[in-house]
Amino acid sequence: MKLVKVCGMREAANILEIEQAGADWMGFIFYPESPRFVHEVPDYLPRKSKRAGVFVNASKEKICETVSLFELDLVQLHGNESPGFCENIRRSGVKVIKSFRVGDEFKEEEVEPYHGKCDYFLFDTQTSLYGGSGEKFNWETLSNYRGNTPFLLSGGITLGDAEALKAFSHPKCIGVDINSRFEIAPSRKDVQKVKHFISNLKT
């Protein structure tokens, strides 16, 4: 597990610092209800880190317009998007991550129709809200995931979880998605915390 995605970025200076801290991917949230909503193009966008746009039940037109404006590499779909919709977005030339909420048990039947329609999955903690809860789920439930689509682990991951993440093993887990537990304020990340986490995870 080597890939680290830092989500909920917005401020130019912070984006640059987090890129320099070693983030592989950076997430920008285009969901107006989120406190991390990105309403304009920042003065700096990452050049080395891949850019992921997070959407919730947005139209294809809106997604494609934003992909073009922000030169996104990946689109992360966090709503009730169908497998066909995911495939449609993917055909437009961008990689697609589909997010799923995991509760007390992993439900293979929910993700099965999305195989072959998405490039990656993201497994987050079950919540009634769209987006993260800042809480963890039991990662061991993912032992029931036997699909071929690679995934990222999300949900309340903290600086102190690096060792447990290194111990967690699943052949399809390619990395982690971090956000609220590394913040000073919504969208502003604590650079030292992120740097230490990446360093701990990758050594």
Side-chain angles (χ1 to χ4, degrees), residues 7 26 30-31 34-35 38 72-73 81 86 93 99 102 119 136 143 148 150 157 159 172 180 191:
C7 202
M26 245 180 259
F30 301 104
Y31 177 50
S34 170
V38 178
L72 299 177
D73 302 290
E81 299 87 2
C86 295
S99 171
V102 182
D119 297 278
K136 281 188 199 66
S143 61
N148 286 322
I157 292 167
L159 177 58
K172 290 297 171 184
S180 62
V191 180

Side-chain angles (χ1 to χ4, degrees), residues 8-29:
M9 302 300 298
R10 187 166 58 206
E11 299 170 16
N14 200 221
I15 291 167
L16 176 60
E17 290 174 320
I18 294 300
E19 181 172 47
Q20 290 170 339
D24 299 291
W25 295 359
M26 245 180 259
F28 300 89
I29 297 174

Side-chain angles (χ1 to χ4, degrees), residues 104-121:
D104 295 335
E105 57 184 61
F106 181 78
K107 295 175 179 169
E108 179 67 46
E109 66 274 14
E110 284 181 11
V111 307
E112 204 276 328
Y114 291 84
H115 287 304
K117 315 280 196 246
C118 305
D119 297 278
Y120 308 99
F121 292 153

Side-chain angles (χ1 to χ4, degrees), residues 158-176:
T158 68
L159 177 58
D161 287 324
E163 292 306 316
L165 286 163
K166 284 197 277 191
F168 173 76
S169 176
H170 191 291
K172 290 297 171 184
C173 183
I174 57 163
V176 294

Side-chain angles (χ1 to χ4, degrees), residues 134-151:
E135 300 298 323
K136 281 188 199 66
F137 67 94
N138 179 4
W139 304 334
E140 294 311 316
T141 61
L142 295 177
S143 61
N144 293 324
Y145 174 61
R146 299 193 169 85
N148 286 322
T149 308
F151 70 86

